[in-house]
Amino acid sequence: MKLVDVANVACGYHAGDPDVMNRTVALAAENGVAVGAHPGLPDPTGFGRRRMALTAEEVESIILYQIGALTAFLSKHGLELNHIKPHGALYGMLAGDEELMVAAAGVARQFGIPFYGLAGTAHEEVCRAEGVDFVPELYVDLNYGPEGQLLIQRRPEPTDPPAAAERVRRAIAGEPVLAVDGTPLDITFTSICVHSDAPNSVAVASAVRDVLVSR
């Protein structure tokens, strides 16, 4: 918590439980960290990284349900909901399906909060059309495909901290981020995402933080 400005908190569907949510929000409050909802698919076995066939109404309901749980703990610890950032497969589903994304954007509009997502996808396009503030992200511990799509892994692997720091340095300087096949990508971002479930996530976050504070 001392390394981040904003925390995306899992709300019980793909990870987390009431006690974990309570302790995580308490830690965020102690460290002055803003908290956003990190709703995922109801698939703890697959950690929310396996796609499911859902209707737009179902997407709206599962996001609302999870936000409802998180806001109870935010209220307890004197915090307000900062944003919505979907997790894993749900994130990818919304990026490529405007109908599903309209449902998610409607929830963000209901709470009057921004939506964190991937620039140049339905995340951004629908938020703009629906009047929802959009926060584009840069990922340092996931690879990008040649079309700029995120390559989401079922199980996280360690990320080389210097490589993560170098990606941030290049992106801040306006230089392209390289896709897995070497394609140069111009990534629009105002937030940098570091996952917390990788074996060396603290080292990666520290390396990224060092780049930002040295600017």
Side-chain angles (χ1 to χ4, degrees):
M1 285 294 180
K2 298 184 184 305
L3 297 172
V4 300
D5 302 304
V6 178
N8 305 301
V9 177
C11 305
Y13 264 24
H14 72 278
D17 58 37
D19 186 55
V20 169
M21 293 170 69
N22 182 46
R23 288 188 285 111
T24 303
V25 173
L27 281 171
E30 290 172 12
N31 288 276
V33 173
V35 173
H38 197 40
L41 298 175
D43 178 24
T45 301
F47 199 68
R49 289 177 174 149
R50 300 184 296 189
R51 291 191 172 222
M52 300 175 67
L54 297 177
T55 65
E57 184 177 13
E58 289 169 333
V59 165
E60 178 186 33
S61 294
I62 67 171
I63 294 176
L64 271 174
Y65 185 90
Q66 292 175 81
I67 287 177
L70 180 61
T71 54
F73 293 108
L74 291 172
S75 176
K76 173 184 176 180
H77 295 287
L79 298 180
E80 295 184 356
L81 183 65
N82 188 71
H83 65 276
I84 298 173
K85 170 187 161 66
H87 165 79
L90 180 60
Y91 187 96
M93 290 163 58
L94 299 181
D97 189 316
E98 290 189 3
E99 182 180 4
L100 298 183
M101 185 57 212
V102 167
V107 178
R109 188 174 58 246
Q110 175 182 335
F111 285 89
I113 54 177
F115 184 96
Y116 280 44
L118 197 60
T121 70
H123 291 167
E124 181 178 23
E125 296 160 7
V126 171
C127 283
R128 185 186 300 117
E130 297 292 319
V132 173
D133 289 339
F134 175 72
V135 178
E137 301 180 290
L138 171 70
Y139 284 81
V140 298
D141 50 14
L142 288 178
N143 289 319
Y144 289 87
E147 302 301 321
Q149 73 275 27
L150 279 177
L151 304 180
I152 298 174
Q153 300 169 297
R154 280 287 305 279
R155 302 188 188 283
E157 297 179 356
T159 296
D160 180 42
E166 179 62 19
R167 177 177 288 187
V168 172
R169 274 193 290 268
R170 289 175 58 88
I172 290 175
E175 299 176 22
V177 171
L178 299 181
V180 287
D181 67 347
T183 300
L185 302 171
D186 292 321
I187 306 294
T188 300
F189 70 99
T190 56
S191 178
I192 299 170
C193 179
V194 178
H195 287 87
S196 63
D197 61 324
N200 65 334
S201 58
V202 172
V204 174
S206 296
V208 170
R209 187 79 182 184
D210 287 345
V211 173
L212 298 177
V213 299
S214 66
R215 294 182 66 238

